[in-house]
């Protein structure tokens, strides 16, 4: 019989379940779970599931034909109604620092892992349902998710991947056919919303908080088991021939986690992504973007912006502070794994290095965004600083600005008006810009021209290079809302259209130009488009 990529051919190897002890209690009630890495728990069956969308690339990644994804069985499995052979559903135990404070046990309150599938490439990917019912970690909440937040998670995971940003993936988006009560504005006026389930996919859903929970309980035995398992399954290149991690392995691993985290944040800064809830339980040990909640995309360039209404006062997780917060989170991880290493100086050295490594990566990213071969600190520190000052002086769309910057020629024969003409579409109020702002922008462009002349790349090559790092299409907050509004009316066309456009974010795709436009006025103050609550 020839091998086909069907559901029944999926093979599972649930390594995590072997590596850590299970919670001996199997009854599904809320509790503190000690001395265990997870609790077995089944998804809650739903009455009338229907498939809304599938990511073809993720289906292929795990070894499923697209036709198989259209089967009734696929919907049953990824709605949590049916288990495939080899699936052993479980929820992870983890803790975390939320908004700067230790929050104790959190855990998968509405995520249920189905198992680790062996991909056609021989790697392993964990399949996880989000919104499939309560678990022992659900605390006061219901374990469910609504359509609007699930649309946002599904689309953004895939958009980020295609932008080249490390992220968990999303296989499917399914309506449960059931309603969920949510107080979206936290104003005491709850309403019923359609329930939905996203199947997320990643080599590991272990978070910084997974280590913190063991450390906080003085459980060094399980702390070591988790660290060893993580290294053996996701960082095996760090192991010497004897396969047993030692102090040097742990340090090399922590250093790589710092590196990957720095890399992820530099990508966020490049594309204008604001996570919104950078608590340590939302930091992946793999350096992937995880847990898409009240995230947002910068429209006008404003380092102080966060979309999360829960963080409105302090704005702890604002765009411009993400690199600093990542460092704070890495410090918490260092504290948690200290018992395995017992060398404060060595950990401090790696943490101190984060700043330097972040800066180097940031400089490379800045050079790429400006189309330069290298970052020359003597000129480019000021060039970038001046640009960031200018971008904040009047509402300027970050994505459009960089995309159009590629249209500035190296040749300095143009007068001011002609020179800055390509950039005008990036302004939100182009008709009322003060003259001195335009003059300052022209002055900056002349410095930029000098720099690109010195750099020596021809205009066409520079343009191609810039277009490969400055996306034309990102999942602007209002775009996700358009998809949600249509879905609420039973029309999933916009979800499919956006999934398709965002698959090629650097391509011109002129037929989709309407999605490369500034935020429309109606979206300026509408909930979901400018500010989001954590209600999901
Ligand atoms: P988040 O801020 O979404 O990362 O969630 C923080 C914690 O709350 C995690 O432990 C989640 O599993 C849990 N949580 C969030 N929403 C729900 C829900 N509707 N039901 C149960 N647990 C939830
Ligand atoms: Mg979370």
């Amino acid at each position: 019989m020839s091998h086909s990529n069907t559901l029944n051919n999926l093979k599972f190897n649930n390594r995590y379940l072997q590596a850590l002890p299970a919670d001996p209690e199997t009854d599904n009630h809320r509790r503190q779970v000690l001395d265990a890495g997870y609790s077995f728990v089944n998804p809650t069956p739903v009455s009338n599931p229907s498939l809304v969308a599938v990511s073809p690339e993720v289906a292929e990644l795990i070894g499923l034909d697209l036709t198989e994804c259209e089967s009734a069985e696929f919907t049953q499995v990824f709605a949590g109604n049916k288990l495939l052979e080899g699936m052993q559903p479980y929820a992870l135990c983890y803790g975390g620092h939320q908004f700067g404070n230790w929050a104790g046990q959190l855990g998968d309150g509405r995520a249920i892992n189905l198992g680790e599938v062996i991909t056609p490439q021989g790697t392993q990917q964990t399949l996880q349902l989000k919104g499939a019912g309560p678990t022992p970690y659900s605390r006061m909440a219901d374990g469910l998710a609504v359509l609007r937040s699930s649309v946002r998670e599904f689309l953004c995971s895939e958009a980020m991947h295609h932008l080249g940003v490390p992220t968990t993936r999303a296989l499917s988006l399914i309506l449960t056919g059931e309603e969920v009560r949510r107080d979206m504005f936290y104003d005491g006026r709850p309403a019923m919303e359609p329930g939905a389930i996203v199947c997320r996919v990643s080599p590991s859903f272990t978070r910084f908080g997974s280590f913190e929970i063991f450390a906080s309980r003085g459980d060094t035995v399980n702390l070591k088991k988790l660290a060893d398992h993580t290294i053996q399954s996701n960082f095996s290149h760090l192991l010497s021939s004897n396969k047993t991690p030692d102090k040097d392995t742990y340090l090399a691993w922590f250093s790589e986690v710092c590196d990957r985290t720095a890399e992820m944040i530099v990508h966020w800064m490049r594309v204008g992504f604001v996570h919104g809830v950078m608590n340590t339980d939302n930091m992946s040990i793999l350096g992937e973007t995880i847990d898409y909640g009240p995230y947002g995309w910068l429209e006008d360039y404003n380092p102080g912006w966060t979309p999360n209404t829960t963080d409105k006062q302090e704005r702890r997780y604002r765009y411009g502070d993400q690199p600093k917060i990542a460092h704070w989170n890495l410090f918490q991880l260092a504290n948690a794994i200290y018992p395995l290493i017992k060398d404060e100086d060595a950990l401090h050295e790696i943490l101190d290095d984060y700043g330097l490594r972040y800066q180097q990566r940031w400089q490379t990213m800045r050079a790429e965004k400006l189309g330069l071969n290298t970052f020359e600190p003597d000129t480019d520190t000021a060039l970038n600083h001046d640009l960031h000052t200018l971008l904040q002086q009047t509402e300027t769309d970050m994505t459009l600005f960089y995309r159009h910057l590629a249209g500035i020629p190296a040749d300095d024969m143009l007068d001011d008006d002609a020179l800055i003409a390509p950039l005008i579409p990036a302004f939100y109020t182009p008709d009322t810009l003060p003259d001195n702002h335009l003059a300052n922008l022209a002055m900056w462009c002349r410095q930029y021209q000098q720099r690109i002349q010195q750099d020596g790349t021809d205009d066409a090559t520079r343009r191609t290079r810039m277009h490969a790092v400055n996306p034309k299409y990102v999942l602007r907050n209002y775009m996700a809302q358009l998809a949600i509004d249509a879905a609420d009316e039973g029309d999933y066309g916009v979800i499919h259209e956006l999934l398709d456009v965002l698959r090629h974010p650097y391509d011109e795709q002129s037929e989709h130009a309407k999605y490369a436009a500034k935020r429309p006025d109606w979206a300026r103050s509408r909930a979901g488009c400018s500010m989001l609550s954590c209600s999901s």
Side-chain angles (χ1 to χ4, degrees):
M1 207 178 78
S2 73
H3 181 85
S4 59
N5 293 330
T6 60
L7 286 163
N8 290 320
N9 278 336
L10 292 181
K11 294 271 174 302
F12 291 86
N13 175 14
N14 305 324
R15 295 174 302 185
Y16 185 86
L17 299 183
Q18 262 88 64
L20 278 114
D23 173 5
E25 230 178 298
T26 50
D27 186 50
N28 189 4
H29 63 92
R30 276 78 161 168
R31 57 183 174 268
Q32 290 292 306
V33 175
L34 304 178
D35 308 317
Y38 56 91
S39 306
F40 286 111
V41 59
N42 283 319
T44 303
V46 296
S47 58
N48 189 19
S50 57
L51 182 67
V52 172
V54 169
S55 160
E57 292 87 359
V58 182
E60 190 185 335
L61 171 73
I62 65 165
L64 275 184
D65 285 338
L66 210 48
T67 48
E68 189 73 357
C69 301
E70 284 150 16
S71 68
E73 191 184 14
F74 179 92
T75 299
Q76 291 297 326
V77 171
F78 293 101
N81 280 358
K82 185 185 169 187
L83 295 177
L84 297 173
E85 200 184 313
M87 286 180 168
Q88 292 171 288
Y90 58 98
L92 298 171
C93 180
Y94 56 78
H97 278 83
Q98 297 185 313
F99 297 95
N101 304 305
W102 174 242
Q105 178 181 301
L106 298 166
D108 284 336
R110 57 162 162 182
I112 297 180
N113 303 278
L114 296 173
E116 296 177 54
V117 72
I118 304 173
T119 70
Q121 294 74 38
T123 60
Q124 293 199 197
Q125 297 282 347
T126 302
L127 308 181
Q128 182 185 81
L129 302 183
K130 184 168 176 179
T135 76
Y137 308 95
S138 295
R139 296 177 292 154
M140 311 295 283
D142 56 12
L144 304 173
V146 294
L147 180 61
R148 68 184 147 80
S149 62
S150 306
V151 168
R152 285 170 51 82
E153 170 127 26
F154 177 80
L155 284 178
C156 202
S157 310
E158 292 308 287
M160 292 284 266
H161 169 76
H162 294 293
L163 283 165
V165 186
T167 177
T168 60
R169 304 294 299 274
L171 170 67
S172 55
L173 169 62
I174 288 177
L175 273 169
T176 61
E178 288 171 8
E179 301 221 298
V180 175
R181 178 184 292 272
R182 283 291 180 270
D183 186 356
M184 181 172 160
F185 301 105
Y186 294 130
D187 63 356
R189 289 184 305 157
M192 300 310 282
E193 298 188 44
I197 296 175
V198 170
C199 177
R200 308 199 288 192
V201 178
S202 170
S204 168
F205 286 99
T206 300
R207 299 129 192 276
F208 290 8
S210 312
F211 299 91
E212 288 180 277
I213 190 73
F214 290 136
S216 76
R217 290 167 169 171
D219 184 353
T220 310
V221 172
N222 281 317
L223 178 68
K224 180 167 164 36
K225 281 185 181 164
L226 180 60
D228 291 359
H229 170 67
T230 303
I231 293 169
Q232 278 151 359
S233 40
N234 305 114
F235 295 80
S236 59
H237 53 278
L238 298 177
L239 288 169
S240 50
S241 49
N242 68 6
K243 300 276 182 210
T244 319
D246 56 17
K247 176 184 159 185
D248 287 340
T249 324
Y250 294 132
L251 285 170
W253 167 59
F254 180 60
S255 173
E256 187 170 333
V257 174
C258 289
D259 240 13
R260 291 191 190 194
T261 304
E263 171 87 11
M264 171 184 79
I265 303 284
V266 166
H267 279 294
W268 291 2
M269 303 310 276
R270 172 174 66 85
V271 299
F273 177 79
V274 190
H275 183 284
V277 203
M278 288 178 71
N279 293 333
T280 56
D281 53 303
N282 291 340
M283 297 292 291
S284 145
I285 200 67
L286 302 183
E288 291 184 339
T289 314
I290 188 171
D291 277 11
Y292 292 91
Y295 67 82
W297 295 79
L298 283 191
E299 277 160 321
D300 58 297
Y301 180 79
N302 173 6
W305 184 70
T306 176
N308 185 356
T309 49
T310 314
D311 193 20
K312 205 161 130 189
Q313 294 305 320
E314 196 192 341
R315 283 180 294 128
R316 177 181 171 85
Y317 298 139
R318 63 184 80 176
Y319 171 77
D321 280 358
Q322 294 184 124
K324 188 180 84 183
I325 291 291
H327 185 251
W328 192 91
N329 289 342
L330 286 163
F331 186 87
Q332 305 311 317
L333 177 63
N335 265 338
I337 61 172
Y338 173 80
L340 306 177
I341 296 165
K342 297 205 178 90
D343 184 342
E344 217 170 296
D345 292 345
L347 283 167
H348 264 300
E349 209 173 296
I350 297 170
L351 279 169
D352 289 347
D353 225 32
Y354 165 88
L356 201 65
R357 288 192 275 181
Y358 176 80
Q359 199 198 1
Q360 282 165 351
R361 285 199 151 86
W362 181 84
Q363 290 183 344
T364 304
M365 177 272 279
R366 292 303 309 171
E368 287 171 358
K369 271 186 98 67
L370 298 182
L372 302 169
N373 280 305
T374 52
F375 186 96
E376 300 295 339
D378 286 349
T379 48
D380 300 350
T381 304
L383 191 71
N384 277 284
H385 177 267
D386 294 350
L387 176 58
H388 285 143
T389 307
L390 268 175
L391 291 179
Q392 289 170 72
Q393 280 167 354
T394 183
E395 240 183 322
T396 314
D397 192 90
M398 176 181 169
T399 306
L400 288 182
F401 184 89
Y402 286 103
R403 192 72 185 179
H404 293 319
L405 189 63
I408 302 282
D411 186 338
D412 59 4
M413 301 297 278
L414 302 172
D415 66 20
D416 277 9
D417 283 352
L419 177 62
I420 63 172
L423 301 173
I424 300 297
F427 294 120
Y428 276 85
T429 51
D431 301 332
T432 56
L433 288 175
D435 286 346
N436 71 335
H437 186 73
L438 297 176
N440 288 340
L441 179 63
M443 212 145 72
W444 183 87
C445 286
R446 298 215 184 274
Q447 284 168 16
Y448 176 55
Q449 283 182 311
Q450 275 180 17
R451 186 62 186 90
I452 52 188
Q453 283 164 21
Q454 187 191 5
D455 195 67
T457 311
D458 67 88
D459 282 354
T461 308
R462 178 170 49 88
R463 187 189 167 88
T464 307
R465 263 203 223 147
M466 289 173 78
H467 280 359
V469 293
N470 296 319
K472 178 166 176 179
Y473 300 96
V474 295
L475 183 60
R476 290 168 182 272
N477 311 311
Y478 83 86
M479 285 162 53
Q481 192 59 44
L482 288 176
I484 293 163
D485 289 345
D488 278 338
E489 302 295 319
D491 169 9
Y492 309 123
V494 186
I495 296 176
H496 299 147
E497 190 183 358
L498 287 180
L499 182 64
D500 215 38
V501 175
L502 295 168
R503 215 177 254 140
H504 307 284
Y506 300 102
D507 293 356
E508 284 304 319
Q509 305 188 72
S510 327
E511 69 281 19
H512 293 301
K514 67 173 176 185
Y515 290 126
K518 278 172 284 199
R519 170 195 56 213
D521 258 355
W522 61 261
R524 188 173 285 267
S525 53
R526 184 163 165 212
C529 298
S530 57
M531 291 298 274
L532 290 122
S533 76
C534 283
S535 161
S536 56

